[in-house]
Amino acid sequence: MQAGLFLDIVDPWINWTWLSTHIPYVLAAVQEHLTLTAIALVGGLVIALPLGIAARRWTNLHLRPAALTVFGAFYTIPSIALFALLIPYTGLGILTAEIPLVGYNVLILVRNVLVGLDSVPPEVLDAADGMGYRPFARLIRVELPLALPAIFAGLRVATVSTIGIVTITAVIGLGGLGQLILRGLIESFHTPLVVATALCIVLAFLSDLAIALAQRLAVPWARNP
Amino acid sequence: MNRRLGAGWLTAAAVVVLTFVAACGSSGGTGTTSKGTVTVAGFNFPESSVLAELYGQALAHDGYSVNYKLNLGTRKVVAPALQSGQIDIYPGYAASELEYYNNGAGEATADPAATTAKLNTYLAKLNAEALTPSQAFDGNAYAVTKATAARYNLKTLSDLTPIAGELVFGAGPECPTYKFCLPGLSSVYGLHFKQTLTLDTDGPATRAAFKNGSIQVGLVFSSDADLNALGLVVLQDDKHMIAADNVVPVVRTAIATDEVKKVLNNIDANLTTADLVTMNGQVELLHQDADAVASAYLQQHSYFA
Amino acid sequence: MSLLQATWQWLTDPAHWQGIDGIPTRVEEQVHLSLESVAIGALIALPVGIVLGHYGRFGNLAINISNVGRAVPSFGILVIAFQVFGLGDVPIVIALTALAVPPMVTNSYVALREVDPDIKDAARGMGYRGLAQLFRVELPLAVPLIMAGVRTSAVQVVATATLAALIAGGGLGRYIVDGLARSDNPRTLAGALLVAALALATELLLAGLERALVPRGIRLLSASAARRASTFKTA
């Protein structure tokens, strides 16, 4: 274009000096990132688990198609649009960030809860009934444990997705590692941008691994469905 | 089998709890302060972060407990936040604040003291006040590339009037309705550009647009430190459209004790435009952190205490 | 006037339906960016996935690439693309294409692997070899799952294209970003509603298209793989 007119300010993709002097800053961002993710996962599970169980139990309420449709539609909507819709009502804070994140996770998790519970063989249920388990006890001690592999699989997908979307909450003042990305954009400063993007990927992989390990411990008899 | 299941659930629960603990762990409480808590906010550009840090760190040094909301947004986000009490202080620019609070009535002049006095007549009704303006100044500035300046022999904004129709202008989303932007360029200088691109307010998109030739004229800030390095030159405001955009703290009356006012006024009394340019350079060119830059400046001046 | 009324007024104002910042222009920009990215992505991803699936090679890579894709933060990729390529459509399309590729690779691979081995045997017995077998037997059977992958990609690309506004791009995200900057709540809300509508419309349109094009006789193979691949959210 206009070659030679702009003195490109030399800015390496990773300035290791900056990184070594900003470890606490980066770690604080990671911490905020993990907190936002954890809340979204727990929130999603807290809603999805009872919802899935209820949908199977009280089929006359048609909860299954209703939940899948409603949360499925919600899932299609980009997070930034949902944040924008919520800001006038819930302000610039954690609630605005978490409502969409939890909503997305409910879809992923409720699908897996349903699949997991559906996959319990009828012979096992019969046997449990024959052994004298009452419905609630049968749910807790037989059905849910057998559904765990599917639920864990859902948790892995939900976690990785959430970690990526949390970066977008930077536009409402949160963001965790998203704040570093935003800084990289505003200041045309490569290092926080690259470091944050790389760390997101690393965090996603480590979380996936951690949940897979937890699954191995909790359900050692089963592999991924 | 039951024992194993129990162990399994415990493990899963432990993982969740540990995540929480790790995540929430070290945001522990700090010591108590006797003088109270203030929340300092800044606009979403680096200089405002530096100014907010200057105010905040000086107050913290004086014994206040300070919260920061940096990069909060444009004036249209920050000003309402002050009115609603979500923030207590922000570093304003006298003329721009006046034209915001008076709905563009056109009362700002080149005199910082008079402009601030007028500003305070509006702020008083909102339980806020502007303190003493600094001599440090940062207003809208309009830049062109050195090539464009050479091609059309441009030195002042008036030089743009005959050729504005051939040029593309870039600014932020608030420019079309902001007195010292498009409305001012149009009414004072009669500038009607071929096209106006909505980019950002003196941010990376504007710079990128200059770089790839999408715009020939763009909005920058007069205290930007990287203009020369980017090959940009600011056109002189020969008809004095830009009024007294001197740095001035806007504070909520509720926290504007004599002590607070003294700390903030001490900083502004000594702050110069050259200081702003230097600190902007440290942030924009050397990528130093706003809080570190502010801290170094304050320590260099012994916190003006 | 309530916020909802003001938003409705914004949406029904004819001035907002014309010009460079008008709704049709913004919708066209977002659709255009998305189409380009999915098309280029498909050109890259489908051949790779199909070939790997046909020969059964690099299975782990093909399946896990969508896990990697899910792990990449779209916001970060967009900003990096902006830093490298500057303003304009190029960085946006590059970033969106990168996000579109993984689910299509995985789905194409799985689609080819899931073809019933008995059918492949029968085809071989009938004289089909190599590429002929691929094109005339395996691919038609794999189409449903491949289309599911394309649909998953497309829906997410349309959603992620909203973020282009954060790097001074066009599209409906412009209303959200500009509205937030100006504290113009009706604009922000209108933008959010339009984005939501576009995302839903894309999903419904492509789902309908899929249902129309895939013969009822061919079931959607391997539901779990399909489910795994369709939970792909980047924005």
Side-chain angles (χ1 to χ4, degrees), chain B residues 162-187:
Chain B
I163 48 143
E166 298 168 40
L167 304 176
V168 179
F169 174 66
E174 77 296 335
C175 185
T177 49
Y178 180 49
K179 182 170 190 279
F180 300 120
C181 201
L182 268 180
L185 290 173
S186 164
S187 62

Side-chain angles (χ1 to χ4, degrees), chain B residues 34-261:
Chain B
S34 52
K35 289 190 184 174
T37 310
V38 292
T39 304
V40 184
F43 298 122
N44 54 358
F45 49 87
E47 177 182 277
S48 195
S49 299
V50 171
L51 287 170
E53 286 281 348
L54 281 177
Y55 292 160
Q57 289 184 33
L59 287 170
H61 185 256
D62 199 53
Y64 290 87
S65 176
V66 182
N67 292 323
Y68 295 92
K69 282 193 196 249
L70 302 181
N71 289 309
L72 189 58
T74 59
R75 185 166 291 104
K76 292 208 168 183
V77 177
V78 173
L82 186 90
Q83 288 166 37
S84 69
Q86 284 187 304
I87 60 172
D88 299 312
I89 303 174
Y90 72 84
Y93 300 91
S96 299
E97 304 309 317
L98 175 55
E99 291 306 313
Y100 171 83
Y101 288 103
N102 70 8
N103 291 313
E107 296 169 309
T109 66
D111 179 349
T115 305
T116 310
K118 201 85 187 79
L119 171 62
N120 273 322
T121 63
Y122 292 97
L123 288 177
K125 300 172 210 156
L126 301 168
N127 296 314
E129 63 182 283
L131 305 183
T132 312
S134 172
Q135 60 167 302
F137 172 92
D138 179 19
N140 277 8
Y142 298 93
V144 294
T145 61
K146 288 186 178 145
T148 310
R151 181 171 165 204
Y152 294 102
N153 197 16
L154 303 172
K155 289 202 176 49
T156 68
L157 282 171
S158 299
D159 292 340
L160 273 180
T161 315
I163 48 143
E166 298 168 40
L167 304 176
V168 179
F169 174 66
E174 77 296 335
C175 185
T177 49
Y178 180 49
K179 182 170 190 279
F180 300 120
C181 201
L182 268 180
L185 290 173
S186 164
S187 62
V188 175
Y189 289 99
L191 299 181
H192 299 282
F193 294 103
K194 178 166 81 170
Q195 193 191 1
T196 300
L197 291 184
T198 303
L199 300 163
D200 52 16
T201 308
D202 187 45
T206 302
R207 286 161 166 75
F210 270 123
K211 203 167 178 178
N212 76 0
S214 312
I215 61 173
Q216 290 77 50
V217 188
L219 167 68
V220 296
F221 292 151
S222 60
S223 62
D224 277 341
D226 57 347
L227 297 178
N228 197 38
L230 291 169
L232 298 174
V233 62
V234 171
L235 296 176
Q236 199 190 339
D237 175 29
D238 51 310
K239 292 191 184 166
H240 302 293
M241 173 188 78
I242 310 289
D245 261 331
N246 295 59
V247 173
V248 65
V250 179
V251 306
R252 284 200 312 127
T253 317
I255 60 106
T257 61
D258 286 342
E259 176 93 21
V260 167
K261 289 202 249 194

Side-chain angles (χ1 to χ4, degrees), chain C:
Chain C
M1 192 198 309
S2 80
L3 179 56
L4 287 172
Q5 284 174 299
T7 308
W8 177 251
Q9 212 171 64
W10 194 99
L11 282 167
T12 50
D13 182 350
H16 291 138
W17 286 83
Q18 47 190 303
I20 198 176
D21 198 33
I23 294 174
T25 314
R26 294 303 186 199
V27 170
E28 189 273 329
E29 285 172 348
Q30 191 148 347
V31 170
H32 179 92
L33 287 169
S34 308
L35 267 174
E36 246 185 84
S37 310
V38 173
I40 299 176
L43 273 171
I44 300 172
L46 294 186
V48 169
I50 290 171
V51 166
L52 290 181
H54 175 68
Y55 290 108
R57 314 278 275 130
F58 297 112
N60 269 330
L61 182 67
I63 291 186
N64 284 311
I65 196 171
S66 59
N67 286 336
V68 176
R70 211 182 275 129
V72 172
S74 51
F75 184 30
I77 294 299
L78 273 169
V79 176
I80 291 179
F82 174 73
Q83 297 291 342
V84 175
F85 297 100
L87 271 187
D89 282 355
V90 170
I92 301 171
V93 171
I94 290 181
L96 291 177
T97 305
L99 291 170
V101 161
M104 290 195 277
V105 170
T106 300
N107 269 48
S108 324
Y109 175 83
V110 171
L112 267 292
R113 295 313 298 154
E114 294 279 330
V115 172
D116 195 337
D118 292 338
I119 296 182
K120 289 200 273 202
D121 267 346
R124 224 179 342 262
M126 283 172 67
Y128 283 102
R129 292 279 184 274
L131 280 179
Q133 178 179 320
L134 171 61
F135 280 107
R136 309 196 80 181
V137 179
E138 294 177 28
L139 266 184
L141 290 172
V143 158
L145 203 44
I146 295 177
M147 280 206 59
V150 175
R151 172 177 141 207
T152 303
S153 269
V155 171
Q156 271 319 298
V157 165
V158 169
T160 313
T162 314
L163 296 180
L166 292 172
I167 52 172
L172 290 171
R174 201 63 274 147
Y175 295 141
I176 298 178
V177 170
D178 289 348
L180 285 173
R182 306 184 211 183
S183 272
D184 182 353
N185 286 339
R187 175 178 293 253
T188 310
L189 242 74
L193 290 170
L194 287 166
V195 168
L198 181 63
L200 283 166
T202 310
E203 167 82 50
L204 289 172
L205 180 70
L206 292 179
L209 213 65
E210 205 179 302
R211 232 191 320 272
L213 292 179
V214 175
R216 208 179 325 163
I218 300 180
R219 289 182 302 111
L220 190 63
L221 304 163
S222 185
S224 75
R227 185 178 53 248
R228 197 166 53 227
S230 72
T231 45
F232 182 78
K233 191 152 179 67
T234 51

Side-chain angles (χ1 to χ4, degrees), chain A residues 78-92:
Chain A
S79 55
I80 195 173
L82 289 173
F83 298 146
L85 283 167
L86 286 170
I87 289 174
Y89 307 102
T90 50
L92 297 169

